[in-house]
């Protein structure tokens, strides 16, 4: 093991510095993300977040949320920095997510929060940007009021 690698590992073992920096936005993976508070009232929506994940079962689960905070942790050296997103996560169980059978569009229940509210941080590099919009309807269907359609630059049709 090289000398500089050993020094880097020993600095990481000390843990992050006690001070953190918070930002209103961050550029990662080709997207400009803004916190929901910073983006409130603006014409563009840059606080929608999606990460690909998996559960203990064999199924992949996509997690959807809104960016609340951008946090920089520094590990005793300018080169050893990590950016985290603190997010409000939507419920991804059957209660909080559905896929339109005709078009394959993902819809999220905006009132259903993910149950594990203590697990709110993700690495910024894991995130893709999405946006949420109310699903248009030709009839006044009250059951669709709290549901949002998910769209984004990487938009794809979810497989059932």
């Amino acid at each position: 093991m090289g000398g500089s690698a050993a020094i880097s590992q020993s600095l990481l073992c000390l843990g992050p510095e006690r001070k953190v920096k918070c930002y209103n936005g961050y550029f990662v993976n080709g997207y400009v993300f803004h916190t929901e508070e910073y983006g409130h009232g603006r014409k563009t929506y840059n606080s929608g977040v999606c990460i690909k994940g998996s559960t203990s079962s064999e199924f992949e689960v996509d997690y959807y949320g809104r960016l609340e905070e951008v946090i920089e942790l520094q590990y005793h050296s300018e080169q050893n920095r990590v950016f985290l997103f603190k997010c409000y996560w939507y419920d991804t169980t059957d209660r909080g997510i559905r896929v339109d059978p005709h078009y394959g569009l993902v819809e999220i229940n905006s009132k259903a929060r993910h149950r594990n509210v203590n697990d709110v941080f993700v690495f910024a590099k894991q995130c893709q940007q999405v946006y949420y919009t109310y699903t248009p309807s030709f009839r006044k269907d009250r059951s669709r009021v709290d549901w949002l359609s998910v769209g984004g630059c990487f938009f794809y049709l979810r497989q059932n």
Side-chain angles (χ1 to χ4, degrees):
M1 189 179 285
S4 64
I7 292 170
S8 292
Q9 286 181 349
S10 65
L11 290 175
L12 291 175
C13 291
L14 295 173
E17 293 182 4
R18 292 177 106 34
K19 293 186 293 185
V20 299
K21 294 180 183 176
C22 296
Y23 299 96
N24 291 326
Y26 186 62
F27 180 81
V28 65
N29 298 334
Y31 305 109
V32 175
F33 289 92
H34 288 136
T35 61
E36 189 165 29
E37 181 181 349
Y38 180 81
H40 184 72
R42 295 182 184 264
K43 292 183 179 182
T44 57
Y45 181 84
N46 294 344
S47 61
V49 174
C50 173
I51 62 168
K52 292 228 176 260
S54 61
T55 60
S56 56
S57 67
E58 61 196 48
F59 300 106
E60 283 191 4
V61 177
D62 298 338
Y63 294 92
Y64 298 94
R66 296 186 320 252
L67 180 59
E68 293 181 331
E69 262 184 285
V70 178
I71 300 167
E72 177 189 5
L73 298 178
Q74 196 162 348
Y75 285 84
H76 306 283
S77 157
E78 186 63 35
Q79 294 83 16
N80 296 319
R81 301 182 303 163
V82 174
F83 286 88
L84 300 175
F85 284 175
K86 179 183 177 190
C87 299
Y88 174 100
W89 295 108
Y90 294 116
D91 187 356
T92 53
T93 64
D94 291 339
R95 180 177 77 94
I97 191 170
R98 64 185 180 195
V99 180
D100 183 279
H102 185 68
Y103 297 107
L105 297 174
V106 177
E107 295 177 310
I108 297 293
N109 185 341
S110 64
K111 302 291 185 197
R113 183 170 186 159
H114 195 273
R115 293 199 174 141
N116 191 358
V117 294
N118 294 322
D119 194 12
V120 295
F121 295 100
V122 293
F123 291 111
K125 288 188 174 200
Q126 293 176 295
C127 296
Q128 300 278 341
Q129 192 169 65
V130 295
Y131 63 90
Y132 304 105
T133 185
Y134 288 100
T135 306
S137 179
F138 293 112
R139 59 190 194 296
K140 296 194 187 292
D141 185 358
R142 296 298 299 164
S143 68
R144 299 180 68 85
V145 170
D146 296 331
W147 290 86
L148 301 171
S149 293
V150 179
C153 299
F154 74 100
F155 187 71
Y156 62 95
L157 297 179
R158 185 181 171 107
Q159 300 296 319
N160 286 338

